[in-house]
Amino acid sequence: MTETTGASPLAPEWLAVPADLNALHAPMWAAGVERNDGGELAIDGIPVSELKAQFGSPLFVMSETDFRARARAFKDAFDAAFEDICGGVDVYYAGKSFLCTAVASWVAEEGLRLDTCSGGELAVAARAGIDGANLGLHGNNKSDAEINRALDMKLGRIVVDSLDELERVAKIASARGEVAKVMLRLTPGVHAHTHEFIATAHEDQKFGLSMAGDSTEEAGLSAAEEAVAAATSYDSIELLGLHCHIGSQIFEPEGFALAAEKLLVFLAAMQSKYSIVLPELDLGGGYGIAYTPVDTPRPAAEIAQAMAAVVRSSCAGLGIKAPRISIEPGRAIVGSSTFTLYETGTLKTVRVDAPAGADGAENVTFPRRYVSVDGGMSDNARPVLYDADYSAVLASRTSLAEPQLSRVVGKHCESGDIVVRDVYLPADVAAGDLLAVPGTGAYCWALSSNYNYLARPGVVAVRGGTARWIVRGETEEDLLNRDMGVANV
Ligand SMILES: *Cc1c(COP(=O)(O)O)cnc(C)c1O
């Protein structure tokens, strides 16, 4: 790291001192977020102080415009890249990343479909009026009730995760005198993570049917092939095709391309061996977004073209008609549409020994400032769960103060309750300031909890200069609603 004023040896290697602490690094923020003439962060012209006054904090602030634009961009980019291969692509928004009825309806209006993975998510889709034909159901442990619900709603596809489940779906559909539309989730042994991907023959995880040759009792037959053979033997199953999902927060297209190639080779082999046609192939989600300035997401068009090139050449090489391709982005559509607004409270500075090997830092301590906010791990569990990095800016005003290495922490009774592990904030941040953490649209509200009896924050959607609740924040009354009371003790 180059020496800059304010640079701390306690900062991780990747974190540079920003040239301007008040600047917004565009890839991390939703369209329409900028500083207004007074220096305050605003979305569609609405200053954060106004959002705080009207809706309180912590608060998820989502740009509906940005969400819709990213959804549409994925659909358009993949349609264009795959037009000549399979007539376009079906894009399933991964509802688990963030779902409510408003978002489900935007997804449908932008021409996307919706992936669910529980009865509860199906209930949201039903309440939003989404046509069952445009829904998929995932999950490694679907209950009979969930399978029945999927059949009641005439789902476009049930993505079957195991041999055990295939049999159950077949039985339930048969008892109803119906035919279930099924995809098989395979594990191609390709794992992608951020800037690398690794390929392994064997799978040691709960999801999916292994493609490795000796993965079942029947020597030489993979679980994936056994499932194809079984699926084609049931009258109550219509086997649409194959599915894989290789990971999340992936930046490089190579992992997706390798998985596509492996699945196409397998698809071609199954078609000729069992004299069947598998008309669909789903390549999952996992496209990365910018949480910090060092994350470099690729435009949807670039990923689409790289994947299209592999599908085109693989199908030509195998001499098969290309299946209809589908994908399942979640984070890449909703992640950057949202920031979390917090109010700062307690501030504290500790002195920390320099990390071993830091230049000229022996026996010297350095300050780290803890900036507490009014939420924490209950509204963003990802730092605790995955060591996820985030960034933050002072939102209520600009500041010309020196950069100070800071750690944004929550108010929970856990020392691991960190929102942003390392960020340079202006040294004059004070109690009562507002902070904004970008990139919190995916897997934050969705994973939120009531730990320490904090009310879960609501989500405000902003469009055309107007802000409205799409999910209201919880109240103290909500917190006590399911408590049966002392009279029942
Ligand atoms: C989680 C998940 C997705 C979405 O992943 P993102 O990283 O949000 O794009 C898609 N498909 C499946 C099967 C998943 O489990």
Side-chain angles (χ1 to χ4, degrees):
M1 188 163 74
T2 51
E3 276 302 315
T4 323
T5 325
S8 167
L10 303 180
E13 193 83 8
W14 58 265
L15 183 67
V17 180
D20 176 1
L21 285 176
N22 302 307
L24 302 177
H25 181 68
M28 303 192 309
W29 295 89
V33 177
E34 51 194 10
R35 289 198 185 270
N36 63 17
D37 292 344
E40 188 176 344
L41 198 74
I43 173 166
D44 268 17
I46 308 172
V48 288
S49 57
E50 223 171 85
L51 293 171
K52 159 82 177 164
Q54 192 179 349
F55 302 101
S57 71
L59 182 68
F60 289 103
V61 183
M62 176 181 288
S63 164
E64 177 180 346
T65 313
D66 188 89
F67 181 101
R68 286 177 180 271
R70 286 180 210 266
R72 173 68 62 182
F74 259 93
K75 176 72 176 138
D76 288 349
F78 276 79
D79 269 349
F82 283 86
E83 177 63 43
D84 66 315
I85 300 174
C86 53
V89 167
D90 298 317
V91 181
Y92 286 77
Y93 169 67
K96 72 173 195 231
S97 59
F98 175 81
L99 189 63
C100 64
T101 54
V103 157
S105 75
W106 305 344
V107 163
E109 284 167 16
E110 297 303 329
L112 280 71
R113 301 181 179 195
L114 178 64
D115 256 342
T116 62
C117 59
S118 70
E121 289 183 2
L122 283 176
V124 178
R127 177 71 66 86
I130 308 299
D131 183 354
N134 291 329
L135 294 173
L137 178 66
H138 276 285
N140 67 302
N141 187 24
K142 303 173 190 75
S143 67
D144 289 2
E146 286 169 330
I147 293 166
N148 272 298
R149 188 171 203 161
L151 292 170
D152 288 345
M153 291 173 68
K154 307 212 177 318
L155 245 59
R157 50 163 70 166
I158 298 174
V159 183
V160 164
D161 209 89
S162 63
L163 283 159
D164 181 63
E165 185 182 270
L166 181 65
E167 200 181 310
R168 275 194 304 129
V169 172
K171 231 183 232 166
I172 292 171
S174 171
R176 296 168 61 111
E178 294 173 17
V179 176
K181 293 183 170 156
V182 160
M183 305 275 284
L184 296 174
R185 176 167 179 172
L186 310 189
T187 46
V190 179
H191 300 263
H193 183 67
T194 308
H195 291 291
E196 295 148 35
F197 69 89
I198 50 168
T200 53
H202 295 274
E203 290 287 351
D204 188 7
Q205 58 153 317
K206 72 171 186 173
F207 290 115
L209 293 146
S210 174
M211 294 173 73
D214 54 355
S215 58
T216 68
E217 297 295 314
E218 286 195 44
L221 213 57
S222 67
E225 178 167 353
E226 232 187 281
V228 170
T232 55
S233 74
Y234 292 119
D235 291 338
S236 58
I237 296 280
E238 179 187 348
L239 183 57
L240 295 178
L242 309 174
H243 170 281
C244 71
H245 172 69
I246 59 170
S248 273
Q249 186 60 359
I250 300 164
F251 292 112
E252 311 298 334
E254 286 86 349
F256 298 115
L258 187 66
E261 195 183 340
K262 282 187 99 164
L263 261 79
L264 284 165
V265 168
F266 180 79
L267 183 141
M270 293 301 102
Q271 290 192 153
S272 86
K273 184 164 174 185
Y274 294 94
S275 303
I276 49 172
V277 176
L278 298 172
E280 295 194 33
L281 177 64
D282 191 309
L283 297 172
Y287 312 101
I289 65 163
Y291 287 108
T292 73
V294 294
D295 291 331
T296 51
R298 307 289 180 84
E302 193 182 321
I303 305 167
Q305 282 154 19
M307 288 167 70
V310 167
V311 171
R312 189 183 287 111
S313 70
S314 293
C315 290
L318 292 161
I320 58 167
K321 180 177 183 293
R324 173 84 177 177
I325 300 293
S326 49
I327 56 165
E328 305 173 328
R331 181 194 321 263
I333 290 175
V334 71
S336 304
S337 73
T338 302
F339 65 85
T340 307
L341 187 64
Y342 296 105
E343 182 175 332
T344 58
T346 304
L347 300 169
K348 151 180 161 172
T349 301
V350 297
R351 304 223 39 116
V352 181
D353 293 333
D359 281 353
E362 260 155 69
N363 303 319
V364 187
T365 61
F366 293 89
R368 185 193 317 281
R369 181 181 230 202
Y370 280 82
V371 177
S372 302
V373 294
D374 50 354
M377 62 190 286
S378 55
D379 58 70
N380 190 352
R382 293 189 67 256
V384 179
L385 273 178
Y386 312 117
D387 262 331
D389 286 312
Y390 281 88
S391 191
V393 298
L394 174 58
S396 39
R397 61 188 171 91
T398 52
S399 167
L400 295 174
E402 286 292 295
Q404 183 164 57
L405 184 70
S406 304
R407 179 162 289 173
V408 180
V409 296
K411 60 182 279 132
H412 293 280
C413 302
E414 291 282 338
S415 51
D417 174 26
I418 291 167
V419 178
V420 184
R421 184 173 300 276
D422 297 290
V423 62
Y424 287 101
L425 289 173
D428 65 351
V429 166
D433 273 326
L434 299 176
L435 286 190
V437 174
T440 57
Y443 308 109
C444 290
W445 185 89
L447 283 165
S448 63
S449 77
N450 287 125
Y451 183 42
N452 295 139
Y453 271 90
L454 261 65
R456 280 172 294 191
V459 183
V460 153
V462 179
R463 188 186 189 185
T466 309
R468 67 187 197 283
W469 284 126
I470 52 171
V471 184
R472 72 160 168 79
E474 281 179 326
T475 61
E476 215 159 81
E477 199 50 40
D478 291 324
L479 291 177
L480 284 160
N481 241 342
R482 289 172 302 142
D483 186 315
M484 300 313 287
V486 285
N488 290 311
V489 170

